[in-house]
Amino acid sequence: MIYERLKKVLTYYLLTGIVLGVVVIAIALVGKYEENLALSIDSFEKIRVNSIRMARATEEKERIISDIKGLLPAAYYSASNEGLLLSAIDSIKANIRGSDVTIANIENKGGELTLPVGIKTSFDSYGMLVDRIGYLQGLAYPHFRVEKINIERSEEMGGLICNITGTFTIPAEKVEGEGSNG
Amino acid sequence: MSFEDSVIKVVYASSKGDNVTVTDTLNLNDEQFDNFLLQEKTNQFIVTHSFKDFFQEILFIPPVKNKYVESLIEAEIKRKALFPSFSFIHTDLGEKVVDGKKMREVFVFAVRNDEINGIVNRFVQRDKVVKAFYPDIFVMASMIDSKDKPVLCVIEAGLNKTLFLVNKGNVSFVRTVQSLEHGLGDLDIQNINMTVNYCWQSLKMGPSIVMLTEHLCRNYNATMNAAAPIACLTQRYVSGKSDAAHDYTAAVSAVLVPASGKTNLLTKEFKRFFQLRQFLIYSSLLFLISSFIGAGYAAYSTNKITEMKKRLISARMTLPGIEGTVTAYDSKSEELNRYAPYIASINSAASTPDLQGFLFLLSKLNMDNVKFVSVSLTSGENVFHSELKGSVKSDSYGDAQRDFQLLVDRIGKLKGFAVTDHSLDLKNKEFQIKADFNDL
């Protein structure tokens, strides 16, 4: 059979084919490995960048916490929430002299303690009114929310009569801490 | 290579267009042939052979489609030649009317496959390739100018002479005769004359000349006259060792015949064999070259990988204490989350319009002709709804209306104010203005 003469050539063909197959597999494996290495290097770089960002974010959070602590009153960690609310009432009475302050019961609604307050007072001048309103607005903790305000001119007294209705609100849960302000 | 009886003539030649350049010639006998193949570096050969045993005839076949012609001829040869297996060449001589029917006239030349395979096998045994296998008379016929008139050619193979008639480039008749001597003698001239007569009588055409090939011209010993003028075949298109090539006409002529032509008698089996061999060799070369290229690329990639691994190690070393960073971040996030209610509360306070600002802006209004009696504010969604009540000081209705309108316009122009409603009671000159305030 003449095809027997092809044995040698066929052997070369198969051998070179196997070698090529092995080379192709090797290239595929090496290529995959290289791709995964590149991904790993890329990931490490991302980790490095993200860890720097994370450190900066941690510093930012620390700053925010410090600012918040700065807004809390000195008595925050020693007094109870109810005590803080009632101290605020005392503070109003002290700063708005001659005011008639009425309060209702403290309520716990949606994770907040609320204390409805009614303030009735009179001012000699509009400027003083604006000033006292500014004081009420500036109360950071507890925060005073004005719901209604009515200002009338008093002909008999010659000044302004002001009726303010609002609420003091603070979070019901207290944060445990050292108690220092910032 | 030309196999002529006991002599094997070898020609080293190349072709360019219609020109052949002969670089070397060689004669071998049968015993030397195998050894020659063993030592010869050339891998591909064109072979011509002087067939002694052949079947030749002019057949008349019915006019059929071309694709059926070969099958018809094969069937006729099987019937007449009784060859067990054969290869054949056929030449279309045109149409003729035979017994009132239009028939196709075809010249056929058939030889046994055993004779072809026996020679080709010797090449295969030595890992050589036969590109084409021609009967010598057909390759020589292609060199003869017989466009205008038929030519009777005479070639010598051993002591035998082969006479063949060439008409318009096609072989029409072949005959082998025995001779007494080398060269051309009177007996040979007799045979030539008989052949010429036969051509006139049977084929209805006769040669215009008798062409002698190779050394027959040099060894012309005849005293008799030939029935047609005698001429010597010259090779005009041969360069190089052209004198030596004169005695190797068949081999030299074969260089110019295309291997895909009809005169190639290489059997289908051997054609397939050589094609497969070529495919395997070229494929193996391709695989090898591709493997080298691939290996080179793999080596280059490996180098790249080594560099990348160094970069990776370096990247790992420069990485900050990631665990500590993550722990600190998580811890601070948890702490900040505990203050979320306070942050919400502070944000809520910041989203309320500035009440002090509202009162301050009001104080900037021109109050010459009006007097405010009361100001009411009700908190809404990021807005204060205000209601201003008072009276206009003007005496006349027109002035009152004008001053009131002025007041409304001025309030509308204050930053953050949007007047939603206003009314003036002209009877008692009391007014009411509603406005929304949002300075966020």
Side-chain angles (χ1 to χ4, degrees), chain A residues 45-174:
Chain A
E45 182 58 26
K46 279 182 186 159
I47 289 170
R48 193 184 66 80
V49 168
N50 284 341
S51 70
I52 293 170
R53 281 194 193 142
M54 206 178 254
R56 285 190 190 150
T58 305
E59 285 169 12
E60 179 69 16
K61 285 177 196 280
E62 176 63 45
R63 190 188 61 74
I64 291 169
I65 290 168
S66 178
D67 287 347
I68 292 171
K69 282 180 180 173
L71 293 172
L72 297 174
Y76 174 80
Y77 294 101
S78 53
S80 66
N81 280 339
E82 290 79 2
L84 289 169
L85 283 169
L86 294 171
S87 295
I89 300 295
D90 293 334
S91 173
I92 288 174
K93 280 184 173 174
N95 279 281
I96 307 178
R97 288 190 186 282
S99 60
D100 185 14
V101 180
T102 55
I103 60 175
N105 289 329
I106 296 171
E107 291 171 2
N108 191 332
K109 263 194 276 191
E112 282 185 327
L113 293 178
T114 58
L115 174 62
V117 177
I119 306 169
K120 187 175 176 182
T121 185
S122 61
F123 298 100
D124 293 331
S125 66
Y126 190 79
M128 196 180 292
L129 166 68
V130 174
D131 184 62
R132 293 299 94 198
I133 293 296
Y135 158 74
L136 281 175
Q137 262 188 197
L139 291 173
Y141 195 86
H143 166 62
F144 184 75
R145 181 181 165 84
V146 172
E147 285 164 5
K148 204 171 173 183
I149 183 169
N150 189 51
I151 305 164
E152 283 180 3
R153 196 181 291 277
S154 168
E155 295 300 335
E156 298 103 18
M157 291 165 71
L160 298 166
I161 296 171
C162 183
N163 277 300
I164 301 167
T165 309
T167 50
F168 274 114
T169 53
I170 55 172
E173 292 291 324
K174 273 186 121 176

Side-chain angles (χ1 to χ4, degrees), chain A residues 148-151, chain B residues 358 362 372-378 384-390 417 420-421 423 431-436:
Chain A
K148 204 171 173 183
I149 183 169
N150 189 51
I151 305 164
Chain B
F358 169 84
L362 272 187
F372 279 109
V373 170
S374 69
V375 175
S376 302
L377 272 138
T378 311
F384 280 134
H385 303 294
S386 67
E387 189 177 349
L388 311 168
K389 286 182 181 174
F417 278 82
T420 56
D421 193 16
S423 63
F431 65 79
Q432 184 187 52
I433 299 171
K434 289 183 182 175
D436 285 345

